[in-house]
Amino acid sequence: MNMLVDGEWRTDTYQSTNDKGEFERSETSFRDSISSDPDARFQPESGRYHLYVCYACPWAHRTLLVRALKGLEDAITVDYVDPFRDEDGWQFTPEKEGCTEDSQYGNDYLRELYQKVDDEVTGRVTVPVLWDKKEETIVNNESREIMRMLDTEMEEVATRDVDLYPEGYQDEVDRVIDEIYEPINNGVYRTGFAKSQEAYDDAVDELFDALDHWDSVLANQRYLAGDQLTEADIAMFTTLVRFDQVYHTHFMCNKQFIHQFDNLWPYLRDLYQTPGVAETVNMDHIKEHYYTTHPDVTPTRIIAAGPDLDFEADHDREELPGGPPKALVAAD
Ligand SMILES: N[C@@H](CCC(=O)N[C@@H](CS)C(=O)NCC(=O)O)C(=O)O
Protein backbone atom coordinates (compact mmCIF):
# COMPACT_ATOMS: atom_id res chain seq x y z
CA MET A 1 0.00 0.00 0.00
CA ASN A 2 0.97 3.63 -0.38
CA MET A 3 2.49 5.98 2.12
CA LEU A 4 5.04 8.73 2.57
CA VAL A 5 8.54 7.63 3.58
CA ASP A 6 10.98 10.39 4.50
CA GLY A 7 8.79 12.82 2.59
CA GLU A 8 8.66 10.68 -0.56
CA TRP A 9 5.54 9.04 -1.94
CA ARG A 10 6.07 5.26 -2.09
CA THR A 11 3.69 2.70 -3.49
CA ASP A 12 5.50 -0.44 -2.40
CA THR A 13 6.10 -0.19 1.33
CA TYR A 14 3.10 -0.34 3.59
CA GLN A 15 2.07 -3.82 4.75
CA SER A 16 -1.39 -3.73 6.27
CA THR A 17 -1.44 -7.31 7.59
CA ASN A 18 0.87 -9.20 9.95
CA ASP A 19 2.19 -12.72 9.38
CA LYS A 20 -1.07 -14.22 10.68
CA GLY A 21 -3.01 -12.35 8.00
CA GLU A 22 -4.55 -9.97 10.54
CA PHE A 23 -5.18 -6.35 9.54
CA GLU A 24 -3.13 -3.88 11.60
CA ARG A 25 -4.00 -0.19 11.44
CA SER A 26 -0.97 2.06 11.73
CA GLU A 27 -0.71 4.91 14.23
CA THR A 28 -1.73 8.43 13.27
CA SER A 29 1.06 10.97 13.08
CA PHE A 30 -0.25 14.47 13.95
CA ARG A 31 -1.66 14.73 17.45
CA ASP A 32 -1.84 18.40 18.51
CA SER A 33 -5.00 19.94 19.92
CA ILE A 34 -7.15 23.00 19.63
CA SER A 35 -7.56 24.18 23.19
CA SER A 36 -9.14 27.12 24.97
CA ASP A 37 -6.30 27.09 27.49
CA PRO A 38 -4.79 30.63 27.28
CA ASP A 39 -1.28 29.25 26.62
CA ALA A 40 -2.38 26.84 23.92
CA ARG A 41 -0.79 27.09 20.50
CA PHE A 42 -4.04 26.30 18.65
CA GLN A 43 -6.72 28.61 20.03
CA PRO A 44 -10.40 28.16 19.17
CA GLU A 45 -10.95 30.87 16.56
CA SER A 46 -13.61 31.19 13.93
CA GLY A 47 -12.23 30.93 10.38
CA ARG A 48 -8.83 29.62 11.47
CA TYR A 49 -9.32 25.90 10.92
CA HIS A 50 -10.08 23.79 7.88
CA LEU A 51 -11.07 20.15 7.48
CA TYR A 52 -9.95 17.91 4.63
CA VAL A 53 -12.32 14.98 4.44
CA CYS A 54 -13.73 12.33 2.19
CA TYR A 55 -17.47 11.77 2.41
CA ALA A 56 -16.82 8.05 2.10
CA CYS A 57 -14.57 7.72 5.12
CA PRO A 58 -16.22 6.78 8.41
CA TRP A 59 -13.46 8.44 10.45
CA ALA A 60 -13.75 11.71 8.53
CA HIS A 61 -17.52 11.46 8.74
CA ARG A 62 -17.28 11.75 12.54
CA THR A 63 -15.73 15.20 12.21
CA LEU A 64 -18.29 16.35 9.63
CA LEU A 65 -21.08 15.29 11.96
CA VAL A 66 -19.76 17.19 14.96
CA ARG A 67 -19.22 20.25 12.78
CA ALA A 68 -22.82 20.03 11.55
CA LEU A 69 -24.48 19.28 14.89
CA LYS A 70 -22.68 22.06 16.73
CA GLY A 71 -23.23 24.61 13.99
CA LEU A 72 -19.54 25.06 13.19
CA GLU A 73 -20.05 25.35 9.43
CA ASP A 74 -19.07 29.02 9.28
CA ALA A 75 -16.23 28.65 11.77
CA ILE A 76 -14.57 25.66 10.09
CA THR A 77 -14.28 25.40 6.32
CA VAL A 78 -14.06 22.04 4.56
CA ASP A 79 -12.82 20.42 1.34
CA TYR A 80 -13.87 17.03 0.02
CA VAL A 81 -11.46 14.71 -1.81
CA ASP A 82 -12.43 12.26 -4.54
CA PRO A 83 -13.88 9.02 -3.13
CA PHE A 84 -11.86 7.01 -5.66
CA ARG A 85 -8.33 6.47 -4.41
CA ASP A 86 -5.64 4.88 -6.55
CA GLU A 87 -1.86 4.58 -6.38
CA ASP A 88 -1.56 8.33 -5.95
CA GLY A 89 -3.63 8.42 -2.77
CA TRP A 90 -6.36 10.95 -2.08
CA GLN A 91 -6.87 13.48 -4.89
CA PHE A 92 -8.74 16.71 -5.44
CA THR A 93 -11.10 16.46 -8.42
CA PRO A 94 -13.40 19.49 -8.25
CA GLU A 95 -15.08 18.53 -11.52
CA LYS A 96 -16.66 15.53 -9.83
CA GLU A 97 -20.02 15.77 -8.07
CA GLY A 98 -19.64 16.30 -4.31
CA CYS A 99 -15.88 16.91 -4.54
CA THR A 100 -14.01 20.19 -4.18
CA GLU A 101 -10.68 21.67 -5.06
CA ASP A 102 -8.08 22.18 -2.35
CA SER A 103 -9.39 25.63 -1.48
CA GLN A 104 -6.29 26.48 0.53
CA TYR A 105 -3.50 25.70 -1.94
CA GLY A 106 -4.96 24.26 -5.14
CA ASN A 107 -3.03 21.01 -4.63
CA ASP A 108 -3.81 17.98 -6.77
CA TYR A 109 -3.10 15.47 -4.00
CA LEU A 110 -3.70 15.41 -0.28
CA ARG A 111 -0.18 14.13 0.29
CA GLU A 112 1.16 17.54 -0.78
CA LEU A 113 -0.23 19.00 2.44
CA TYR A 114 1.56 16.42 4.54
CA GLN A 115 4.77 17.17 2.63
CA LYS A 116 4.29 20.90 3.10
CA VAL A 117 4.14 20.43 6.87
CA ASP A 118 7.14 18.13 7.04
CA ASP A 119 9.27 17.37 4.01
CA GLU A 120 10.65 14.30 5.79
CA VAL A 121 7.33 12.95 6.96
CA THR A 122 6.80 9.20 7.20
CA GLY A 123 3.26 7.84 7.49
CA ARG A 124 0.00 7.16 5.75
CA VAL A 125 -1.81 10.05 4.12
CA THR A 126 -5.24 9.83 5.67
CA VAL A 127 -8.43 11.79 6.12
CA PRO A 128 -9.63 13.53 8.18
CA VAL A 129 -7.02 16.27 8.42
CA LEU A 130 -7.59 19.26 10.69
CA TRP A 131 -5.60 22.09 9.13
CA ASP A 132 -4.56 25.37 10.75
CA LYS A 133 -4.69 28.17 8.17
CA LYS A 134 -2.79 30.55 10.44
CA GLU A 135 0.32 28.46 11.04
CA GLU A 136 -0.18 26.48 7.83
CA THR A 137 0.15 23.15 9.50
CA ILE A 138 -1.74 20.00 10.42
CA VAL A 139 -3.15 20.19 13.92
CA ASN A 140 -4.36 16.62 14.06
CA ASN A 141 -5.35 13.71 11.81
CA GLU A 142 -6.93 11.36 14.35
CA SER A 143 -10.71 11.45 14.10
CA ARG A 144 -11.48 10.60 17.70
CA GLU A 145 -9.37 13.50 18.88
CA ILE A 146 -10.69 15.94 16.27
CA MET A 147 -14.23 14.96 17.19
CA ARG A 148 -13.51 15.74 20.86
CA MET A 149 -11.81 19.09 20.09
CA LEU A 150 -14.62 20.32 17.88
CA ASP A 151 -17.10 19.22 20.51
CA THR A 152 -15.50 20.57 23.67
CA GLU A 153 -13.01 23.31 22.69
CA MET A 154 -14.93 25.33 20.10
CA GLU A 155 -17.90 26.33 22.28
CA GLU A 156 -17.30 30.05 21.83
CA VAL A 157 -17.59 29.87 18.05
CA ALA A 158 -20.26 27.16 17.81
CA THR A 159 -23.67 28.50 16.85
CA ARG A 160 -25.67 25.74 18.49
CA ASP A 161 -25.80 24.70 22.11
CA VAL A 162 -25.17 21.01 21.55
CA ASP A 163 -22.93 19.11 23.94
CA LEU A 164 -21.95 15.64 22.79
CA TYR A 165 -19.72 15.00 25.80
CA PRO A 166 -22.09 16.03 28.58
CA GLU A 167 -21.13 16.08 32.22
CA GLY A 168 -22.25 13.01 34.04
CA TYR A 169 -21.88 10.93 30.87
CA GLN A 170 -18.22 11.44 30.08
CA ASP A 171 -16.80 8.24 31.57
CA GLU A 172 -19.50 6.24 29.86
CA VAL A 173 -18.92 7.99 26.52
CA ASP A 174 -15.19 7.22 26.68
CA ARG A 175 -15.85 3.65 27.74
CA VAL A 176 -18.28 3.06 24.88
CA ILE A 177 -16.01 4.65 22.27
CA ASP A 178 -13.19 2.37 23.46
CA GLU A 179 -15.42 -0.67 23.56
CA ILE A 180 -16.85 -0.33 20.05
CA TYR A 181 -13.59 0.64 18.34
CA GLU A 182 -11.82 -2.71 17.97
CA PRO A 183 -14.74 -5.07 17.30
CA ILE A 184 -16.98 -2.70 15.31
CA ASN A 185 -15.40 0.48 13.90
CA ASN A 186 -12.08 -1.18 13.14
CA GLY A 187 -13.69 -4.62 13.14
CA VAL A 188 -15.30 -4.20 9.73
CA TYR A 189 -11.83 -3.42 8.32
CA ARG A 190 -10.24 -6.33 10.22
CA THR A 191 -12.89 -8.57 8.68
CA GLY A 192 -12.61 -7.21 5.16
CA PHE A 193 -8.82 -6.93 4.99
CA ALA A 194 -8.09 -10.29 6.66
CA LYS A 195 -5.64 -12.32 4.62
CA SER A 196 -6.23 -15.68 6.31
CA GLN A 197 -9.38 -17.65 7.08
CA GLU A 198 -8.57 -17.66 10.77
CA ALA A 199 -8.09 -13.89 10.93
CA TYR A 200 -11.37 -13.41 9.08
CA ASP A 201 -13.27 -15.87 11.32
CA ASP A 202 -12.02 -14.18 14.49
CA ALA A 203 -12.81 -10.68 13.27
CA VAL A 204 -16.26 -11.48 11.92
CA ASP A 205 -17.25 -13.36 15.10
CA GLU A 206 -16.04 -10.53 17.30
CA LEU A 207 -17.91 -8.02 15.14
CA PHE A 208 -21.24 -9.80 15.32
CA ASP A 209 -20.90 -10.61 19.03
CA ALA A 210 -20.43 -6.89 19.64
CA LEU A 211 -23.36 -5.96 17.38
CA ASP A 212 -25.58 -8.45 19.26
CA HIS A 213 -24.49 -6.94 22.54
CA TRP A 214 -25.27 -3.35 21.52
CA ASP A 215 -28.52 -4.43 19.91
CA SER A 216 -29.69 -5.69 23.29
CA VAL A 217 -28.44 -2.58 25.13
CA LEU A 218 -30.42 -0.41 22.71
CA ALA A 219 -33.65 -2.25 23.51
CA ASN A 220 -33.89 -0.26 26.73
CA GLN A 221 -32.07 2.98 26.07
CA ARG A 222 -32.26 5.44 23.23
CA TYR A 223 -28.52 6.05 22.85
CA LEU A 224 -25.31 4.18 23.58
CA ALA A 225 -24.39 6.13 26.71
CA GLY A 226 -27.98 6.44 28.00
CA ASP A 227 -30.67 8.98 27.20
CA GLN A 228 -28.46 11.60 25.52
CA LEU A 229 -26.95 11.75 22.07
CA THR A 230 -23.16 11.72 22.49
CA GLU A 231 -19.88 11.27 20.64
CA ALA A 232 -20.29 7.52 21.19
CA ASP A 233 -23.33 7.57 18.90
CA ILE A 234 -21.41 9.54 16.29
CA ALA A 235 -18.68 6.90 16.36
CA MET A 236 -21.21 4.08 16.02
CA PHE A 237 -23.32 5.83 13.39
CA THR A 238 -20.59 6.24 10.80
CA THR A 239 -19.94 2.49 10.81
CA LEU A 240 -23.59 1.40 10.92
CA VAL A 241 -24.73 3.68 8.11
CA ARG A 242 -22.15 2.09 5.75
CA PHE A 243 -22.78 -1.45 6.90
CA ASP A 244 -25.53 -2.92 4.76
CA GLN A 245 -24.52 -1.24 1.52
CA VAL A 246 -20.78 -1.74 1.82
CA TYR A 247 -19.34 -3.74 4.71
CA HIS A 248 -21.85 -6.58 4.42
CA THR A 249 -20.86 -7.43 0.85
CA HIS A 250 -17.49 -5.83 0.10
CA PHE A 251 -15.92 -6.69 3.48
CA MET A 252 -17.84 -9.99 3.90
CA CYS A 253 -19.44 -8.84 7.17
CA ASN A 254 -22.40 -10.92 6.12
CA LYS A 255 -23.71 -12.91 9.05
CA GLN A 256 -26.57 -10.44 9.17
CA PHE A 257 -27.59 -7.04 7.80
CA ILE A 258 -28.06 -4.15 10.21
CA HIS A 259 -31.62 -3.85 8.93
CA GLN A 260 -32.30 -7.32 10.37
CA PHE A 261 -31.46 -6.27 13.95
CA ASP A 262 -34.44 -5.41 16.16
CA ASN A 263 -32.88 -2.35 17.76
CA LEU A 264 -29.77 -1.36 15.82
CA TRP A 265 -31.85 -0.67 12.72
CA PRO A 266 -34.39 1.68 14.37
CA TYR A 267 -31.48 3.25 16.30
CA LEU A 268 -29.65 3.89 13.02
CA ARG A 269 -32.75 5.50 11.53
CA ASP A 270 -33.25 7.59 14.68
CA LEU A 271 -29.70 8.95 14.34
CA TYR A 272 -30.08 9.46 10.59
CA GLN A 273 -33.24 11.51 11.18
CA THR A 274 -31.59 13.71 13.81
CA PRO A 275 -31.55 17.22 12.30
CA GLY A 276 -28.26 17.88 10.49
CA VAL A 277 -27.19 14.25 10.12
CA ALA A 278 -28.67 13.15 6.77
CA GLU A 279 -26.92 15.97 4.88
CA THR A 280 -23.54 14.54 5.90
CA VAL A 281 -24.25 11.12 4.37
CA ASN A 282 -23.21 10.76 0.74
CA MET A 283 -24.05 7.15 -0.10
CA ASP A 284 -22.83 7.46 -3.69
CA HIS A 285 -19.38 8.45 -2.50
CA ILE A 286 -19.43 5.75 0.16
CA LYS A 287 -20.22 3.01 -2.32
CA GLU A 288 -17.86 4.27 -4.99
CA HIS A 289 -14.99 4.53 -2.56
CA TYR A 290 -15.09 1.07 -1.07
CA TYR A 291 -15.95 -1.00 -4.12
CA THR A 292 -13.45 0.74 -6.41
CA THR A 293 -10.55 1.51 -4.08
CA HIS A 294 -9.57 -1.90 -2.71
CA PRO A 295 -8.81 -4.00 -5.81
CA ASP A 296 -7.45 -6.83 -3.65
CA VAL A 297 -10.93 -7.08 -2.08
CA THR A 298 -13.16 -6.29 -5.10
CA PRO A 299 -10.89 -6.60 -8.17
CA THR A 300 -13.61 -5.87 -10.73
CA ARG A 301 -14.33 -2.48 -9.14
CA ILE A 302 -18.01 -3.15 -9.73
CA ILE A 303 -20.24 -1.26 -7.31
CA ALA A 304 -22.84 -3.59 -5.78
CA ALA A 305 -26.43 -2.44 -6.27
CA GLY A 306 -28.28 -2.99 -3.03
CA PRO A 307 -29.84 -3.14 -0.64
CA ASP A 308 -32.37 -0.36 -0.93
CA LEU A 309 -32.91 1.00 2.59
CA ASP A 310 -35.39 3.53 3.88
CA PHE A 311 -33.46 5.55 6.44
CA GLU A 312 -36.43 7.91 6.69
CA ALA A 313 -38.93 5.29 7.89
CA ASP A 314 -40.43 5.82 11.37
CA HIS A 315 -38.19 4.54 14.12
CA ASP A 316 -40.59 4.67 17.09
CA ARG A 317 -37.78 5.30 19.55
CA GLU A 318 -39.42 8.44 20.96
CA GLU A 319 -40.97 6.14 23.55
CA LEU A 320 -37.59 5.68 25.20
CA PRO A 321 -36.39 8.39 27.61
CA GLY A 322 -34.31 11.25 26.16
CA GLY A 323 -34.02 12.50 22.62
CA PRO A 324 -31.92 14.73 20.38
CA PRO A 325 -30.52 17.96 21.91
CA LYS A 326 -33.18 20.69 22.13
CA ALA A 327 -31.07 23.12 20.12
CA LEU A 328 -31.13 20.72 17.19
CA VAL A 329 -34.84 20.13 17.29
CA ALA A 330 -35.50 23.87 17.57
CA ALA A 331 -33.28 24.58 14.56
CA ASP A 332 -35.07 22.05 12.40
N1 LIG B 1 -7.09 6.56 12.88
C1 LIG B 1 -7.45 7.42 11.79
C2 LIG B 1 -7.76 6.59 10.57
C3 LIG B 1 -8.11 7.40 9.35
C4 LIG B 1 -8.11 6.53 8.08
O1 LIG B 1 -7.61 5.39 8.09
N2 LIG B 1 -8.69 7.06 7.00
C5 LIG B 1 -8.68 6.31 5.75
C6 LIG B 1 -9.94 6.54 4.96
S1 LIG B 1 -11.34 5.74 5.62
C7 LIG B 1 -7.54 6.81 4.87
O2 LIG B 1 -7.39 7.99 4.70
N3 LIG B 1 -6.77 5.88 4.33
C8 LIG B 1 -5.70 6.17 3.40
C9 LIG B 1 -4.50 5.30 3.63
O3 LIG B 1 -4.49 4.54 4.61
O4 LIG B 1 -3.57 5.38 2.85
C10 LIG B 1 -8.65 8.26 12.21
O5 LIG B 1 -9.51 7.76 12.94
O6 LIG B 1 -8.69 9.42 11.84
Side-chain angles (χ1 to χ4, degrees):
M1 280 170 91
N2 320 323
M3 64 183 286
L4 286 165
V5 178
D6 299 331
E8 249 177 74
W9 184 245
R10 299 269 300 270
T11 55
D12 54 354
T13 43
Y14 172 49
Q15 264 292 352
S16 61
T17 44
N18 63 19
D19 53 12
K20 290 192 203 137
E22 295 162 344
F23 172 65
E24 288 187 331
R25 187 174 287 281
S26 55
E27 273 288 307
T28 305
S29 29
F30 296 92
R31 308 297 283 267
D32 273 313
S33 292
I34 298 175
S35 162
S36 43
D37 186 299
D39 299 328
R41 175 173 169 200
F42 299 106
Q43 292 288 324
E45 289 167 42
S46 184
R48 176 166 172 180
Y49 300 101
H50 184 77
L51 276 170
Y52 288 100
V53 300
C54 178
Y55 270 126
C57 168
W59 316 104
H61 195 176
R62 296 171 165 191
T63 67
L64 274 184
L65 277 165
V66 178
R67 174 177 176 265
L69 296 178
K70 296 194 65 93
L72 286 165
E73 290 95 334
D74 291 337
I76 303 175
T77 45
V78 59
D79 284 329
Y80 300 87
V81 298
D82 192 323
F84 174 67
R85 197 179 73 222
D86 63 9
E87 290 232 304
D88 282 315
W90 295 117
Q91 295 188 42
F92 295 97
T93 53
E95 63 282 3
K96 196 159 165 178
E97 172 113 43
C99 303
T100 62
E101 61 172 355
D102 168 10
S103 61
Q104 304 305 302
Y105 301 99
N107 285 320
D108 292 325
Y109 300 103
L110 188 70
R111 65 171 189 260
E112 294 171 81
L113 283 161
Y114 281 71
Q115 290 165 317
K116 179 177 173 62
V117 170
D118 176 0
D119 58 11
E120 306 240 311
V121 64
T122 293
R124 286 161 60 218
V125 173
T126 56
V127 285
V129 171
L130 180 65
W131 182 260
D132 177 17
K133 299 178 198 173
K134 193 164 163 183
E135 291 199 20
E136 298 193 276
T137 193
I138 296 174
V139 182
N140 193 298
N141 66 342
E142 177 58 41
S143 63
R144 179 173 176 171
E145 293 172 5
I146 301 173
M147 171 166 76
R148 177 65 46 84
M149 282 170 232
L150 301 195
D151 185 19
T152 61
E153 300 298 320
M154 302 288 282
E155 289 298 340
E156 57 196 73
V157 296
T159 60
R160 216 168 285 133
D161 182 20
V162 169
D163 183 359
L164 301 164
Y165 193 53
E167 263 181 50
Y169 292 75
Q170 296 179 346
D171 290 346
E172 186 62 1
V173 172
D174 289 332
R175 190 187 69 77
V176 174
I177 295 176
D178 280 341
E179 201 175 311
I180 66 175
Y181 175 77
E182 215 36 87
I184 299 179
N185 304 133
N186 199 34
V188 292
Y189 287 90
R190 287 169 49 224
T191 305
F193 289 151
K195 290 270 187 298
S196 70
Q197 187 67 50
E198 206 185 346
Y200 168 79
D201 291 343
D202 288 349
V204 81
D205 286 349
E206 225 186 286
L207 167 64
F208 280 88
D209 286 350
L211 291 174
D212 285 339
H213 166 72
W214 290 106
D215 189 60
S216 61
V217 169
L218 288 166
N220 304 311
Q221 62 190 54
R222 189 146 175 191
Y223 300 112
L224 294 185
D227 58 2
Q228 292 214 32
L229 178 76
T230 68
E231 291 173 19
D233 301 294
I234 306 284
M236 183 67 121
F237 175 79
T238 67
T239 297
L240 292 187
V241 77
R242 285 159 175 73
F243 201 100
D244 286 3
Q245 274 136 323
V246 172
Y247 301 144
H248 177 279
T249 303
H250 176 68
F251 277 170
M252 297 198 292
C253 301
N254 64 352
K255 285 185 162 190
Q256 210 173 310
F257 283 107
I258 296 301
H259 72 260
Q260 295 167 322
F261 282 88
D262 290 343
N263 302 300
L264 283 173
W265 174 223
Y267 164 77
L268 174 57
R269 300 202 306 278
D270 187 5
L271 296 182
Y272 186 89
Q273 292 167 33
T274 301
V277 170
E279 295 78 6
T280 66
V281 180
N282 185 327
M283 200 53 83
D284 290 340
H285 278 208
I286 290 171
K287 292 182 80 161
E288 178 183 343
H289 168 67
Y290 283 96
Y291 286 106
T292 67
T293 296
H294 309 128
D296 48 338
V297 179
T298 300
T300 57
R301 297 196 153 120
I302 289 171
I303 301 170
D308 209 3
L309 296 175
D310 186 3
F311 288 108
E312 302 283 359
D314 284 351
H315 55 72
D316 294 330
R317 290 181 63 80
E318 296 90 351
E319 287 158 24
L320 293 165
K326 287 195 185 62
L328 280 177
V329 181
D332 195 28

